[in-house]
Protein backbone atom coordinates (compact mmCIF):
# COMPACT_ATOMS: atom_id res chain seq x y z
CA UNK A 1 0.00 0.00 0.00
CA UNK A 2 3.01 2.29 0.55
CA UNK A 3 3.56 2.42 -3.22
CA UNK A 4 -0.11 2.95 -4.02
CA UNK A 5 -1.36 6.34 -5.25
CA UNK A 6 -1.90 8.78 -2.40
CA UNK A 7 -5.68 8.90 -2.79
CA UNK A 8 -5.81 5.10 -2.41
CA UNK A 9 -3.74 5.36 0.76
CA UNK A 10 -6.24 7.88 2.12
CA UNK A 11 -9.14 5.60 1.17
CA UNK A 12 -7.46 2.67 2.90
CA UNK A 13 -6.89 4.78 6.02
CA UNK A 14 -10.56 5.79 6.21
CA UNK A 15 -11.79 2.27 5.42
CA UNK A 16 -9.59 0.83 8.18
CA UNK A 17 -11.03 3.31 10.70
CA UNK A 18 -14.57 2.30 9.67
CA UNK A 19 -13.94 -1.47 9.59
CA UNK A 20 -12.32 -1.48 13.03
CA UNK A 21 -15.19 0.65 14.45
CA UNK A 22 -12.81 3.42 15.46
CA UNK A 23 -15.24 5.49 13.39
CA UNK A 24 -18.66 3.83 13.87
CA UNK A 25 -21.75 4.72 11.86
CA UNK A 26 -22.67 8.37 12.45
CA UNK A 27 -19.11 9.56 13.07
CA UNK A 28 -18.07 12.79 11.36
CA UNK A 29 -14.71 12.12 9.74
CA UNK A 30 -11.92 14.75 9.63
CA UNK A 31 -12.48 17.57 7.17
CA UNK A 32 -10.76 17.53 3.80
CA UNK A 33 -8.40 20.26 5.02
CA UNK A 34 -7.48 18.15 8.06
CA UNK A 35 -6.83 15.14 5.84
CA UNK A 36 -4.71 17.32 3.55
CA UNK A 37 -2.52 18.25 6.51
CA UNK A 38 -2.38 14.66 7.78
CA UNK A 39 -1.23 13.21 4.45
CA UNK A 40 0.53 16.31 3.09
CA UNK A 41 -1.42 16.21 -0.17
CA UNK A 42 -3.62 18.54 -2.19
CA UNK A 43 -7.31 18.90 -1.50
CA UNK A 44 -8.01 17.43 -4.96
CA UNK A 45 -6.36 14.17 -3.89
CA UNK A 46 -8.33 14.01 -0.65
CA UNK A 47 -11.55 14.89 -2.46
CA UNK A 48 -11.12 11.97 -4.86
CA UNK A 49 -10.64 9.52 -1.99
CA UNK A 50 -13.67 10.83 -0.11
CA UNK A 51 -15.78 10.98 -3.27
CA UNK A 52 -15.00 7.33 -4.05
CA UNK A 53 -16.04 6.28 -0.55
CA UNK A 54 -19.28 8.24 -0.88
CA UNK A 55 -19.94 6.38 -4.14
CA UNK A 56 -19.14 3.09 -2.39
CA UNK A 57 -21.76 3.91 0.25
CA UNK A 58 -19.36 4.11 3.21
CA UNK A 59 -19.58 7.87 3.64
CA UNK A 60 -22.34 10.45 3.27
CA UNK A 61 -21.88 14.19 2.78
CA UNK A 62 -24.24 16.52 4.63
CA UNK A 63 -24.11 20.15 3.44
CA UNK A 64 -22.68 22.56 6.04
CA UNK A 65 -22.27 19.75 8.58
CA UNK A 66 -19.54 17.53 7.17
CA UNK A 67 -18.95 13.98 5.95
CA UNK A 68 -20.22 11.10 8.05
CA UNK A 69 -19.80 7.33 8.23
CA UNK A 70 -23.03 5.81 6.99
CA UNK A 71 -24.68 2.40 7.16
CA UNK A 72 -23.66 0.52 3.99
CA UNK A 73 -26.57 -0.02 1.62
CA UNK A 74 -27.81 -3.49 0.95
CA UNK A 75 -27.38 -4.41 -2.68
CA UNK A 76 -29.13 -6.74 -5.13
CA UNK A 77 -28.41 -7.48 -8.79
CA UNK A 78 -31.05 -6.59 -11.34
CA UNK A 79 -30.03 -9.22 -13.89
CA UNK A 80 -30.24 -12.15 -11.48
CA UNK A 81 -32.21 -13.44 -8.49
CA UNK A 82 -30.39 -13.99 -5.24
CA UNK A 83 -31.74 -15.19 -1.95
CA UNK A 84 -31.96 -12.12 0.30
CA UNK A 85 -31.01 -14.22 3.35
CA UNK A 86 -27.73 -15.12 1.63
CA UNK A 87 -27.11 -11.48 0.68
CA UNK A 88 -27.57 -10.34 4.28
CA UNK A 89 -25.38 -13.03 5.85
CA UNK A 90 -22.67 -12.47 3.20
CA UNK A 91 -22.37 -8.91 4.53
CA UNK A 92 -21.80 -10.26 8.03
CA UNK A 93 -25.28 -9.28 9.24
CA UNK A 94 -27.86 -11.37 11.06
CA UNK A 95 -30.85 -12.21 8.87
CA UNK A 96 -34.40 -12.80 10.01
CA UNK A 97 -37.89 -12.18 8.70
CA UNK A 98 -41.34 -11.32 9.97
CA UNK A 99 -44.33 -12.87 8.22
CA UNK A 100 -47.27 -10.49 7.86
CA UNK A 101 -49.47 -12.73 5.70
CA UNK A 102 -49.48 -16.25 4.26
CA UNK A 103 -52.80 -17.25 2.75
CA UNK A 104 -54.94 -18.35 -0.18
CA UNK A 105 -57.03 -15.73 -1.96
CA UNK A 106 -59.27 -15.26 -4.98
CA UNK A 107 -57.32 -13.25 -7.56
CA UNK A 108 -58.73 -9.75 -8.14
CA UNK A 109 -58.24 -8.08 -11.51
CA UNK A 110 -54.77 -6.64 -10.86
CA UNK A 111 -53.41 -9.91 -9.42
CA UNK A 112 -54.95 -11.99 -12.22
CA UNK A 113 -53.24 -9.77 -14.79
CA UNK A 114 -49.96 -9.76 -12.90
CA UNK A 115 -49.88 -13.55 -12.47
CA UNK A 116 -51.44 -14.40 -15.84
CA UNK A 117 -54.43 -16.33 -14.48
CA UNK A 118 -58.18 -15.96 -14.86
CA UNK A 119 -60.09 -13.54 -12.63
CA UNK A 120 -61.15 -15.27 -9.39
CA UNK A 121 -58.57 -18.06 -9.64
CA UNK A 122 -57.27 -19.25 -6.26
CA UNK A 123 -53.68 -18.07 -5.75
CA UNK A 124 -51.29 -18.04 -2.83
CA UNK A 125 -50.17 -14.78 -1.24
CA UNK A 126 -47.31 -14.00 1.16
CA UNK A 127 -46.19 -10.74 2.71
CA UNK A 128 -42.84 -10.78 4.49
CA UNK A 129 -40.41 -8.16 5.81
CA UNK A 130 -36.74 -9.14 5.55
CA UNK A 131 -34.23 -7.77 8.09
CA UNK A 132 -30.47 -7.35 8.39
CA UNK A 133 -29.29 -6.75 11.98
CA UNK A 134 -32.81 -5.81 13.09
CA UNK A 135 -33.10 -3.20 10.33
CA UNK A 136 -35.90 -3.79 7.77
CA UNK A 137 -34.46 -3.95 4.26
CA UNK A 138 -37.24 -5.28 2.08
CA UNK A 139 -41.00 -5.72 2.13
CA UNK A 140 -41.91 -8.61 -0.15
CA UNK A 141 -45.46 -9.04 -1.44
CA UNK A 142 -45.71 -12.20 -3.55
CA UNK A 143 -48.45 -14.00 -5.45
CA UNK A 144 -47.82 -17.63 -6.43
CA UNK A 145 -49.48 -20.00 -8.90
CA UNK A 146 -50.56 -23.00 -6.76
CA UNK A 147 -50.32 -25.34 -9.74
CA UNK A 148 -46.52 -25.02 -9.68
CA UNK A 149 -45.96 -24.77 -5.93
CA UNK A 150 -48.87 -26.58 -4.23
CA UNK A 151 -47.10 -26.80 -0.85
CA UNK A 152 -46.24 -23.08 -0.70
CA UNK A 153 -48.54 -22.29 2.24
CA UNK A 154 -47.09 -25.18 4.24
CA UNK A 155 -43.56 -23.74 4.28
CA UNK A 156 -41.94 -22.23 7.36
CA UNK A 157 -40.70 -18.93 5.95
CA UNK A 158 -38.90 -18.20 9.20
CA UNK A 159 -36.48 -20.97 8.20
CA UNK A 160 -36.36 -20.38 4.45
CA UNK A 161 -37.42 -17.66 2.02
CA UNK A 162 -40.03 -17.76 -0.74
CA UNK A 163 -37.26 -17.29 -3.29
CA UNK A 164 -35.25 -20.21 -1.93
CA UNK A 165 -38.26 -22.52 -1.77
CA UNK A 166 -39.61 -21.67 -5.22
CA UNK A 167 -36.16 -22.04 -6.80
CA UNK A 168 -35.97 -25.58 -5.40
CA UNK A 169 -39.37 -26.78 -6.63
CA UNK A 170 -39.62 -24.93 -9.95
CA UNK A 171 -36.24 -23.65 -11.16
CA UNK A 172 -36.47 -20.26 -12.85
CA UNK A 173 -35.55 -19.93 -16.52
CA UNK A 174 -37.02 -16.49 -17.27
CA UNK A 175 -37.05 -13.31 -15.17
CA UNK A 176 -38.85 -10.02 -15.76
CA UNK A 177 -37.79 -6.96 -13.77
CA UNK A 178 -38.87 -3.33 -13.70
CA UNK A 179 -37.93 -0.69 -11.14
CA UNK A 180 -39.50 2.60 -10.12
CA UNK A 181 -39.03 5.20 -7.40
CA UNK A 182 -42.27 5.77 -5.52
CA UNK A 183 -43.77 7.62 -2.60
CA UNK A 184 -44.89 4.56 -0.59
CA UNK A 185 -48.10 4.16 1.34
CA UNK A 186 -48.21 4.70 5.08
CA UNK A 187 -48.40 0.92 5.57
CA UNK A 188 -45.19 0.34 3.58
CA UNK A 189 -43.39 3.13 5.44
CA UNK A 190 -44.41 1.64 8.77
CA UNK A 191 -43.35 -1.89 7.77
CA UNK A 192 -39.92 -0.64 6.66
CA UNK A 193 -39.46 1.95 9.45
CA UNK A 194 -38.99 4.67 6.84
CA UNK A 195 -38.86 8.40 7.40
CA UNK A 196 -41.91 10.36 6.27
CA UNK A 197 -40.07 11.96 3.34
CA UNK A 198 -37.85 9.00 2.41
CA UNK A 199 -38.05 7.67 -1.17
CA UNK A 200 -38.72 4.03 -1.87
CA UNK A 201 -37.42 1.71 -4.59
CA UNK A 202 -40.06 -0.69 -5.89
CA UNK A 203 -38.91 -3.71 -7.88
CA UNK A 204 -41.58 -5.52 -9.90
CA UNK A 205 -40.51 -9.11 -10.50
CA UNK A 206 -42.12 -11.98 -12.38
CA UNK A 207 -40.53 -15.41 -12.78
CA UNK A 208 -41.21 -18.31 -15.16
CA UNK A 209 -40.32 -22.00 -14.98
CA UNK A 210 -40.59 -24.09 -18.12
CA UNK A 211 -42.44 -21.23 -19.85
CA UNK A 212 -45.10 -21.09 -17.10
CA UNK A 213 -45.46 -18.02 -14.86
CA UNK A 214 -44.67 -19.12 -11.30
CA UNK A 215 -44.90 -15.96 -9.23
CA UNK A 216 -45.22 -12.20 -9.31
CA UNK A 217 -43.72 -10.06 -6.57
CA UNK A 218 -43.53 -6.47 -5.45
CA UNK A 219 -40.31 -5.80 -3.54
CA UNK A 220 -40.17 -2.50 -1.62
CA UNK A 221 -36.82 -1.13 -0.42
CA UNK A 222 -36.00 2.00 1.64
CA UNK A 223 -34.04 4.29 -0.66
CA UNK A 224 -31.53 5.14 2.06
CA UNK A 225 -30.69 1.49 2.78
CA UNK A 226 -30.78 -0.29 -0.55
CA UNK A 227 -29.43 -0.12 -4.06
CA UNK A 228 -30.04 -2.21 -7.17
CA UNK A 229 -27.18 -2.93 -9.53
CA UNK A 230 -26.75 -4.22 -13.05
CA UNK A 231 -23.71 -5.51 -14.93
CA UNK A 232 -23.45 -6.54 -18.54
CA UNK A 233 -20.32 -8.20 -19.95
CA UNK A 234 -19.66 -7.44 -23.61
Amino acid sequence: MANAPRYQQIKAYIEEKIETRVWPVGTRIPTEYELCDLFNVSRMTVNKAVRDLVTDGLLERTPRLGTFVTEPKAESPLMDIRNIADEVTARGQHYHSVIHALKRLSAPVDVAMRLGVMLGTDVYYSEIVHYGDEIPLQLEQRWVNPALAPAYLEQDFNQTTPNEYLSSVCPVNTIEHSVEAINPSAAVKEALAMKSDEPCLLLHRRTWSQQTLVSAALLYHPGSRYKLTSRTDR
Side-chain angles (χ1 to χ4, degrees):
M1 182 58 70
N3 295 324
R6 295 291 278 166
Y7 84 91
Q8 289 186 359
Q9 295 179 35
I10 298 168
K11 281 183 62 177
Y13 169 80
I14 297 173
E15 288 171 336
E16 191 270 338
K17 294 291 188 183
I18 295 173
E19 290 170 2
T20 58
R21 306 287 183 174
V22 173
W23 293 347
V25 172
T27 300
R28 185 174 70 83
I29 72 168
T31 67
E32 291 188 3
Y33 291 110
E34 290 170 333
L35 290 171
C36 288
D37 290 340
L38 180 62
F39 287 91
N40 193 28
V41 295
S42 69
R43 190 179 178 192
M44 181 181 298
T45 300
V46 170
N47 182 266
K48 177 169 174 53
V50 172
R51 188 172 65 247
D52 284 358
L53 292 172
V54 169
T55 300
D56 292 343
L58 293 178
L59 298 177
E60 182 178 32
R61 283 190 168 116
T62 302
R64 296 183 297 279
L65 293 179
T67 302
F68 296 82
V69 179
T70 188
E71 188 76 38
K73 289 187 177 183
E75 180 176 347
S76 283
L78 271 175
M79 305 302 291
D80 198 2
I81 296 180
R82 293 182 187 169
N83 182 17
I84 189 169
D86 294 338
E87 291 180 8
V88 170
T89 55
R91 292 192 297 273
Q93 296 178 308
H94 169 68
Y95 168 82
H96 81 280
S97 63
V98 173
I99 301 169
H100 289 201
L102 184 60
K103 61 185 179 182
R104 180 193 304 266
L105 56 79
S106 180
V109 174
D110 62 327
V111 172
M113 293 179 62
R114 185 177 291 127
L115 199 52
V117 298
M118 294 183 63
L119 179 66
T121 298
D122 277 356
V123 299
Y124 295 153
Y125 174 71
S126 59
E127 183 170 316
I128 301 172
V129 178
H130 302 279
Y131 290 76
D133 284 348
E134 309 305 320
I135 299 172
L137 299 176
Q138 181 189 91
L139 169 62
E140 171 189 336
Q141 297 176 337
R142 186 182 295 269
W143 296 265
V144 177
N145 187 337
L148 281 85
Y152 187 78
L153 297 184
E154 301 167 17
Q155 304 309 304
D156 181 358
F157 289 125
N158 287 311
Q159 300 300 318
T160 187
T161 65
N163 170 267
E164 185 176 26
Y165 170 69
L166 291 173
S167 296
S168 69
V169 298
C170 39
V172 172
N173 56 22
T174 303
I175 308 166
E176 177 187 272
H177 279 156
S178 65
V179 183
E180 60 179 325
I182 66 167
N183 182 18
S185 67
V188 171
K189 289 180 180 179
E190 181 179 1
L192 292 174
M194 295 173 62
K195 298 176 183 177
S196 60
D197 59 347
E198 185 174 356
C200 181
L201 291 175
L202 172 57
L203 172 62
H204 300 255
R205 174 184 290 164
R206 296 199 297 174
T207 55
W208 284 259
S209 180
Q210 300 299 320
Q211 312 309 314
T212 303
L213 221 168
V214 177
S215 76
L218 298 178
L219 308 174
Y220 298 86
H221 310 87
S224 65
R225 290 175 237 146
Y226 219 87
K227 63 180 176 180
L228 299 165
T229 62
S230 176
R231 173 178 172 175
T232 301
D233 294 322
R234 296 183 181 274

